[in-house]
Amino acid sequence: MQVSNTIDCNGLSPAPTLLRIMQALVGREDSTSPLNVLVGADCNCESLAVSLGPLAQDVQLASDAKQFAAVN
């Protein structure tokens, strides 16, 4: 079974987005690559990163899935 390293939070408000990210980070087996999180264009990524605290280094936020290909 292949596990995706990307979660789609597009359209969610900040609280559910943060919850989904935290849930995805808890059960991750591959912690060597960042968790890709697709967010809406109106997402305040800086505020979300602050809310994640030290876990922010394990997360890559983007409003377009094509941005993940450039990073990973």
Side-chain angles (χ1 to χ4, degrees), residues 2-71:
Q2 183 176 1
V3 178
S4 175
N5 199 34
T6 302
I7 59 173
D8 186 356
C9 294
N10 190 13
L12 295 178
S13 64
T17 298
L18 183 61
L19 179 62
R20 277 204 182 167
I21 292 170
M22 298 298 284
Q23 288 173 331
L25 289 173
V26 167
R28 262 177 25 128
E29 293 178 13
D30 179 18
S31 59
T32 59
S33 60
L35 174 67
N36 298 321
V37 181
L38 185 61
V39 295
D42 60 338
C43 177
N44 184 340
C45 293
E46 191 173 310
S47 176
L48 190 55
V50 169
S51 297
L52 285 167
L55 294 175
Q57 66 187 13
D58 298 333
V59 176
Q60 175 67 40
L61 302 169
S63 59
D64 184 352
K66 293 176 186 172
Q67 293 172 321
F68 296 134
V71 174

